[in-house]
Amino acid sequence: MLKTSLNGVWNLQIIGKDSALVPKEGISAKIPGSVYGALLEKELIPDPFYRDNELKVLPLMENDFCYTTDFEVTNQMLACDALLLRFDGIDTLADICLNGEQIGCAYNMHRIWEINLLETGSIREGNNQLKVVLHSPTKYIKEENEKVAVQGSQDAMEGFPHLRKAHCMFGWDWGPRLPDAGIFRDVTLLGIKKSRLDSVYITQIHEAGQVTLDFDITLELFCNRESGLFGDGGKVRITVTDPDGQVVAAEDTAGEEQDYKLTVKNPRLWWPHGYGDQPLYQVRVSLLDGDDSELDVWERKIGLRTMTVNTDKDEWGSCFAHEVNGVKIFAMGADYIPEDNLLDRVNKERTRRLLEDAAMANHNCIRVWGGGYYPDDFFFDICDELGLIVWQDFMYACASYELNDAFEANITRETIDNVRRIRHHACLGLWCGNNEIETQIEMWKVSEKQKYDYIKLYEYIIPKIIKEEDPNAFYWPSSPSSGGNFENSWSEDHGDMHYWDVWHGNKPFTEYRKFHFRYLSEFGFQSFPGLKTVESFTEPEDRNIFSRVMEMHQRNRAANGKILNYLSATYLYPKDFDHLLYASQLLQADAIRYGVEHFRRYRGRCMGTVVWQLNDIWPVASWASIDYYGRWKALHYAEKKMFAPVMISCEEIGELSERPFCIQEPAPIEKSARLHVANETMQEVTGTVTWSLRKPDSSILKEGSCQITVPALDGVWLEKMDFGAYEEREIHLEYSFSVDGRVVSQNTCLFTAPKHYFFADPNLRCEKKGDKIVVYADAYAKNVEIIGTDGDLWLSDNFFDMEAGERIVSIIRGDAKSVTCRSVVDIA
């Protein structure tokens, strides 16, 4: 196969009311790339993320845009049986022209688009001009919605479901309205002789001491079928290479109807992060001509594993757990949204950093949310390497769709394209039909036809394609769901759940303890990003959370007030803007910790805590644990502890858990605590639990310790401790779990809101010593944050509690020359 990349510098012009924004002859624009990206690079538009510039650049999408490039065609290309022009990603509505004649169109950013240039009559030897005209997405959705109104998220532009484009580009409750346009993935010319590999699907058959790989290979013929491919000695050659580079199996096979099977002896199994290693085998499938020349090749890395979702009935209802190699996995991870509104800013290095940071915080899974776009191949490659199980939504979210023949044909091809592209990955945990549409259809006033269309799309059309294209994969119709057909969609005892009473419902953090969800695939709590990130999009006069600019960068309605409401129940009023940002992050971390620790204490009944959300699409107040610039919030550091394979936690009872939003005097307050050690490893763990009841100056009132053994993939409760004799504002509990003399998990808890605790001044100070930072305290310090005063720091631990003494943390990234620190006592 001849491959010629058409990536590079193209010409971009604007067609419409803003055509004068660029010179008449156009501007240079990189491909892959986008309109906003090209205009921003040439400084023709302001930064869309700065202050309220979103409002200035959004109207640009009312124009059309024209990309052009020239390319050379040789005699060798024209001699091929097919010469395909391939677009791996066009965003979104495109007319494609060659040498002045339209040869095709595109209308779905989630699809691969190919045109056989030899069939167009427009291709010629020598120089050719390719033109792609992208039409306004905002005009299109408005016009289509006037014809047929569809429902969708109120945070997005009306009519967005009419276009197969990342929904969140039209706005969401964490993202701006910047529906960019462009050619965001590779453009290639493919010269094909005779045939190419149309599809390669590998089924794994696991037996004692071996794994048999069964290859289902289909070809796409471009030559005369009667002459065939194999009549002249053509064949398929398959090789499998182990992680050490040794060829463990190889086969040459002739004939179209052959059964391609290879056996790998003594296989090295792929495991999720925290359960084992992630060895990957290289598979190469070659399509050869009679003279042994290579016509096409399919080369991928695979992991040897079994993967499904266990939904067996049990004493509580039915299980919902990722099951890998026969082992039920407790999912700990986060929901992933697109990394940027400008897609040309997303690259392998940036995505690797984000996913490595997830793994560093002990994540073992990631859910790709259905309102964005299907990630690039490198996203899944990295998840394979890191052991992150991927819950893959299809790209439908919070909307109803007009299901007709054209829409069905469009999304059928979309589904096939993406299933074939992704299905071989070891990390792929399940396919999910949509995000939140099943439950929203039940809440919305919809017609019987819309309900019927929903069932047809997510419980017939898509699963039928999955059955044909990836029959070994697990399919789930919606998230949340109990299995479909609108049956008990919100059930606590079946399927997966999105729980938002903590946050949207204004319930206290301890509300989580009333539930035992089987798998929590969405729950979250907002915070502001840190001061350095806020400074990137504001001027000094904007730095008030109720300013226009701060509210433009807060898309969840009334959420800044909600943060203050929760803050009022927990902390004293912050003394300045910076400490308000800090306090909001402490709230977020504590809210999620309450949930995760509770659900891990009931492993077996609950088998997943996937936090909304991992990342941001722009600098914004949101539910993310890592902000737009990759800076870890307090939540991400907290997740590293709460997702630790072996974790000690405390179920305390006190003022905070019983009455978080008000104090009603007089009333006795129970003060008790039960410790629990969770073991999410494949081996039993023996260690020592140590606890101490302390005063604000860290002096010990009462203490104890015991040795326990925690079975693999299980947990152990300790006896309840009663501290009712003590004043709740003068005590805190410090606890830890040690294995072989090394502390593997530790924390502290209060029995009252931090605003009421009688903190002693810890006189915090810190110093940098090489790649370490040492923090000193004279008394108990809660939520100690270390800050690089002249640069970003990523640390082995941060926002931690410490007793009087010193604490040493390591620098992971960053090289700040000086550091400072603060704790809860500094908020007011």
Side-chain angles (χ1 to χ4, degrees), residues 435-452:
N435 173 77
E436 293 187 344
I437 303 179
E438 178 181 327
T439 49
Q440 289 187 340
I441 287 286
E442 289 193 275
M443 292 187 294
W444 290 338
K445 293 181 179 179
V446 299
S447 66
E448 286 303 311
K449 179 186 182 302
Q450 286 176 306
K451 273 197 165 185
Y452 171 79

Side-chain angles (χ1 to χ4, degrees), residues 33-49:
S34 76
V35 170
Y36 281 146
L39 297 176
L40 187 59
E41 184 179 19
K42 299 295 184 182
E43 299 182 345
L44 297 173
I45 60 171
D47 180 357
F49 294 170

Side-chain angles (χ1 to χ4, degrees), residues 475-491:
Y475 175 77
W476 193 242
S478 183
S479 180
S481 178
S482 293
N485 201 34
F486 304 110
E487 293 182 5
N488 299 316
S489 304
W490 292 103
S491 174

Side-chain angles (χ1 to χ4, degrees), residues 34 91 109 169 180 184 338 340-347 373:
S34 76
D91 181 16
M109 79 172 289
M169 286 185 167
D180 204 356
F184 69 100
D340 209 302
N341 264 92
L342 279 64
L343 296 186
D344 52 337
R345 289 175 171 174
V346 180
N347 56 57
Y373 66 104

Side-chain angles (χ1 to χ4, degrees), residues 595-606:
V596 171
E597 289 183 350
H598 166 70
F599 294 115
R600 286 194 67 182
R601 290 194 283 261
Y602 291 90
R603 188 201 197 278
R605 188 171 183 179
C606 178

